[in-house]
Amino acid sequence: MQFRLRTSGKAQELLLELKNATKITPNILSRYAIALSVKQQKPLEELEYDVSGLEFNRHVLTGNFDATFKSLISQREERELTDEEYFPHYIKLHLERGIRMLKAEYDYAGNTEKFLINLMNYAEGGTL
């Protein structure tokens, strides 16, 4: 069982840009990113497995919501995932896609306040 995950270099770059702009830590931004990705109807695309970015400990990344994240991702995949499939593979795929979504949303919003309002609206059923 793995307890560490490394992002791609591009994901690290985007997370650090978002952190500097919003003052939200990368682990919290990553949770938002995973949640945004899981909510998407489009299937995940396999990525080149670049591991040159940030390293996250599983507990730091998913916190007390690890079982919730695993359940949501299993539901999205329409099958029960093994622990080895869930972390790091599916978490990384959702994280990588979600980070790009977060960055695009921040760029669209133009500032942190609008960005957070848009994320709250999305959580209540809106669209990104």
Side-chain angles (χ1 to χ4, degrees):
M1 184 182 309
Q2 285 192 299
F3 291 99
R4 294 191 185 280
L5 171 147
R6 272 199 174 276
T7 68
S8 67
K10 182 65 176 174
Q12 175 181 350
E13 177 186 321
L14 295 175
L15 278 172
L16 294 178
E17 283 179 33
L18 286 167
K19 177 190 176 236
N20 290 335
T22 65
K23 308 299 184 236
I24 300 172
T25 61
N27 61 312
I28 301 299
L29 289 168
S30 295
R31 291 177 192 172
Y32 284 131
I34 293 166
L36 284 175
S37 177
V38 169
K39 197 167 179 177
Q40 293 298 301
Q41 296 299 318
K42 294 183 243 175
L44 285 169
E45 295 178 15
E46 289 293 325
L47 304 169
E48 287 185 37
Y49 223 74
D50 172 7
V51 291
S52 63
L54 295 174
E55 181 174 274
F56 286 105
N57 179 293
R58 182 174 177 168
H59 182 71
V60 169
L61 187 59
T62 59
N64 294 332
F65 302 103
D66 191 61
T68 303
F69 279 112
K70 185 176 180 186
S71 295
L72 290 170
I73 293 171
S74 291
Q75 183 177 13
R76 171 62 56 217
E77 293 302 309
E78 298 179 345
R79 67 185 181 88
E80 188 64 34
L81 298 175
T82 65
D83 215 40
E84 290 74 25
E85 290 175 307
Y86 161 68
F87 197 96
H89 183 71
Y90 278 96
I91 283 285
K92 181 174 173 62
L93 290 175
H94 281 290
L95 177 61
E96 295 287 335
R97 177 169 74 175
I99 289 168
R100 287 160 175 78
M101 293 172 64
L102 272 182
K103 177 65 169 121
E105 181 55 34
Y106 182 83
D107 290 346
Y108 175 76
N111 65 52
T112 301
E113 183 179 355
K114 288 180 185 175
F115 171 68
L116 293 174
I117 289 169
N118 290 348
L119 287 180
M120 286 188 303
N121 289 337
Y122 184 68
E124 294 171 358
T127 60
L128 271 182

